Amino acid sequence: MKNVLRALKRCAVTGAIALAAVSLQPAGATAAPTPGSAGTQPVVGGTRAAQGEFPFMVRLSMGCGGSLYAKDIVLTAAHCVSGSGNNTSITATAGVVDLQSSSAIKVKSTKVLQAPGYNGSGKDWALIKLAKPINLPTLKIATSTAYNTGTFDIAGWGAAREGGAQQRYLLKAKVPFVSDASCKTSYADLIPGEELCAGLPQGGVDTCQGDSGGPMFRKDNAGAWVQVGIVSWGNGCARPNYPGVYTEVSTFASAIAQAAAGL
């Protein structure tokens, strides 16, 4: 039977449209908290990102994170959306680290595509088509496992502590790769090849509730950002010996490209 952690994800709200944290590393074993007022304290182990530092970051109105896969398409987590089809209920906010900034770019969704075959376990990716393009840099995705190693960057507006409030300012942190073998000792139901893990053995840095759907990324050999993971789930936030679990983007790169072409 699948672990109960699967049902909780890293969401800021409960229900079909859930969201996980990308601010620093929580992996949701506890019930998802209700979004509170935005705070200014660091995310779990994180610090504030500078304006323009991660221009591809997107905040979604259901309480999830995301990244600009294309100027008019956001890549997020499957558990953040309720299914596929026409959808004008989601607002994407981009271009700012301060969600209350008057410079924020806000664009409505038109369609959603949830990963085919998604059933709450693995395949945790989705695409959101926007009503108009956002003229900001996009984040390319990994097409091989070559970058599934080393130290990753995470960022988001999720809770700064387990059970905490959502954040007003974008927070960032770094987490190291954790091997599948090591991660399986914490999560027996990890799906190697579809999921990868990152976090410190002592905890203290992680994504958390409200970061779901946001990117885990690093520099490629040319110094450009490349997305290797999508914030998915975990046991609490930044707990010792419980790293964050992320969708392994390279596994689904072809499917994501095909889906985006059809939106």
Side-chain angles (χ1 to χ4, degrees), residues 23 26 33 41-45 158-167 208-209 237-238:
S23 322
Q41 73 269 34
V43 52
V44 185
R161 60 180 175 81
E162 189 173 321
Q166 301 298 288
Q167 302 296 292
C208 203
Q209 282 69 46
C237 297

Side-chain angles (χ1 to χ4, degrees), residues 33 141 178 181 252 255:
I141 63 174
V178 175
F252 304 105

Side-chain angles (χ1 to χ4, degrees), residues 78-242:
H79 75 263
C80 288
V81 301
S82 56
S84 299
N86 294 334
N87 187 324
T88 59
S89 68
I90 301 168
T91 299
T93 300
V96 293
V97 295
D98 178 1
L99 293 178
Q100 296 183 21
S101 171
S102 60
S103 300
I105 300 168
K106 295 180 182 290
V107 181
K108 287 285 190 180
S109 61
T110 59
K111 294 180 181 179
V112 171
L113 190 147
Q114 190 179 60
Y118 174 73
N119 64 2
S121 179
K123 299 180 177 64
D124 196 8
W125 64 268
L127 297 175
I128 298 173
K129 177 79 169 181
L130 302 178
K132 62 181 180 180
I134 294 176
N135 190 25
L136 288 171
T138 58
L139 178 59
K140 71 177 181 178
I141 63 174
T143 56
S144 76
T145 60
Y147 298 109
N148 292 1
T149 187
T151 299
F152 306 115
D153 286 78
I154 49 177
W157 291 270
R161 60 180 175 81
E162 189 173 321
Q166 301 298 288
Q167 302 296 292
R168 170 178 173 175
Y169 298 96
L170 181 66
L171 299 172
K172 64 176 182 177
K174 292 181 180 291
V175 287
F177 170 77
V178 175
S179 70
D180 289 344
S182 178
C183 198
K184 288 278 280 186
T185 65
S186 300
Y187 303 115
D189 59 345
L190 181 79
I191 306 175
E194 292 193 12
E195 299 172 327
L196 70 160
C197 303
L200 299 166
Q202 70 271 28
V205 179
D206 196 7
T207 48
C208 203
Q209 282 69 46
D211 288 327
S212 284
M216 180 172 73
F217 48 100
R218 53 161 289 176
K219 294 287 184 69
D220 65 13
N221 293 334
W225 291 117
V226 58
Q227 181 171 354
V228 297
I230 300 169
V231 179
S232 185
W233 61 283
N235 182 5
C237 297
R239 295 183 184 183
N241 301 313
Y242 284 104

